[in-house]
Amino acid sequence: MSNGENSEHLDDPDFLSDYVSSFGPQDVRSLRVNFRPGINAQEVIPYHIPPNRVIIPQEYVLQGVNRALLQNENINIAQLSPNNYVKSFIKKLHEVILSARANTGTNESLTDALVAHILYRVFDFDQWPLGINPHPRLKFMVGPDVSLTVIPEFVVKCQNYILLDKHLHNTAIGPTNNYGEPQIAGEILACANENVHEARIPYDVTVFVARVISTYVTFYRTTIKKEYWNELADGCPLDKSITVARWPVSSDPVNGFDLAEPNRRQAVLDALCRIYIVISEYQP
């Protein structure tokens, strides 16, 4: 564990920060977690599902609602949709965009509300056999003595996981901390560890991640092999590793899918629908 002088331990394979929220590139190296661009969208998003099974709520696509409109402080939301739930969604998008224009970055509660609407209203991720757990306190062990705790924003629990990770202070997210990906690595391990702990035996765990920063969404996918868990039980792995694929390919959130733009919004809805089908129908 850290003694507070992180710079002296950047090359120490057993060094970890005291908190997942403080994770940086050195922690990812110690845990042997590698982020890389997806080879293609199919590597991250389950496009093998037949198109006739992918039913997204078209009322949320809103071809006429784009960033230029949502930046208008005097937007008349009541005229944009006959559906009251969709109006609420537009209002939340509008508030996030206006908040992001301030120097302090996006307000935490506004992004919470936007993500919650997608989880509960657009797709019912809280319907059996799934279940939404907001702000769960999760932990994972590195060796017998080091315990790390993490509190993700939203976790959808099943045999597989979808972890929706929201970075609140988007003004503090940048290339020096790999746009928050080191923290995502810790959250992936904590969520997957929960499944392994419940199963009482190490096994391969697949984790889907949707990182939401302001209105920008990036998807991640990884499978943690049981051999990795076996090594982690002894300390930082020396041989086994985890590869996390990312789509779209850039780690910069502004190159992700923008919920404020109709075509990109449809891409997010399509991806979430496919992930919903995969994890809700998973059979161990």
Side-chain angles (χ1 to χ4, degrees):
M1 293 292 287
S2 164
N3 64 2
E5 298 179 356
N6 294 4
S7 61
E8 296 181 3
H9 299 273
L10 292 179
D11 297 321
D12 183 351
D14 293 322
F15 167 73
L16 289 174
S17 298
D18 293 309
Y19 305 100
V20 171
S21 59
S22 302
F23 267 19
Q26 73 276 8
D27 301 285
V28 174
R29 290 196 297 270
S30 294
L31 291 168
R32 295 178 61 83
V33 180
N34 307 302
F35 286 84
R36 64 162 174 79
I39 297 172
N40 50 42
Q42 289 81 355
E43 186 181 16
V44 180
I45 299 167
Y47 280 108
H48 65 279
I49 297 171
N52 64 327
R53 297 199 59 208
V54 182
I55 302 173
I56 66 173
Q58 290 297 320
E59 62 270 24
Y60 279 90
V61 175
L62 299 160
Q63 287 296 338
V65 177
N66 54 29
R67 179 169 290 274
L69 178 66
L70 291 165
Q71 287 176 336
N72 183 351
E73 294 185 6
N74 300 315
I75 184 175
N76 189 340
I77 293 173
Q79 295 182 346
L80 297 177
S81 173
N83 186 310
N84 286 336
Y85 287 131
V86 176
K87 291 174 188 174
S88 177
F89 173 74
I90 298 170
K91 182 175 185 293
K92 291 175 174 61
L93 261 180
H94 178 56
E95 291 172 338
V96 168
I97 288 173
L98 292 184
S99 175
R101 293 169 64 181
N103 292 332
T104 55
T106 306
N107 181 282
E108 172 182 355
S109 63
L110 298 179
T111 310
D112 268 343
L114 177 62
V115 173
H117 186 99
I118 294 172
L119 287 176
Y120 288 98
R121 290 294 185 189
V122 183
F123 299 100
D124 192 357
F125 277 99
D126 202 37
Q127 179 176 254
W128 179 266
L130 306 181
I132 298 172
N133 193 357
H135 305 284
R137 180 176 292 273
L138 305 174
K139 69 177 182 179
F140 65 98
M141 300 292 296
V142 181
D145 302 318
V146 177
S147 176
L148 290 164
T149 300
V150 63
I151 305 177
E153 297 302 321
F154 295 95
V155 173
V156 178
K157 192 175 187 307
C158 191
Q159 292 293 331
N160 283 16
Y161 271 91
I162 175 173
L163 162 68
L164 286 102
D165 178 75
K166 173 177 62 64
H167 291 280
L168 309 178
H169 305 294
N170 52 305
T171 55
I173 297 296
T176 56
N177 62 2
N178 292 344
Y179 299 102
E181 288 185 344
Q183 293 95 322
I184 290 175
E187 294 182 358
I188 285 173
L189 284 169
C191 286
N193 176 71
E194 188 80 359
N195 268 14
V196 171
H197 179 75
E198 290 182 2
R200 304 182 69 85
I201 57 170
Y203 73 103
D204 297 354
V205 182
T206 297
V207 182
F208 292 97
V209 180
R211 182 191 65 183
V212 183
I213 299 178
S214 185
T215 61
Y216 300 98
V217 183
T218 305
F219 290 96
Y220 300 83
R221 182 177 183 174
T222 187
T223 297
I224 306 173
K225 298 293 186 179
K226 62 181 180 180
E227 292 82 5
Y228 181 90
W229 296 116
N230 292 334
E231 281 203 14
L232 194 67
D234 295 326
C236 287
L238 299 177
D239 179 42
K240 303 304 178 183
S241 62
I242 300 171
T243 297
V244 185
R246 177 198 317 113
W247 193 264
V249 298
S250 173
S251 61
D252 188 336
V254 299
N255 294 322
F257 295 115
D258 186 2
L259 286 167
E261 296 293 346
N263 291 341
R264 308 296 266 176
R265 184 162 56 244
Q266 182 167 356
V268 171
L269 297 177
D270 180 88
L272 287 174
C273 182
R274 292 173 182 276
I275 293 170
Y276 177 88
I277 293 170
V278 167
I279 65 175
S280 64
E281 296 182 357
Y282 176 80
Q283 296 294 327

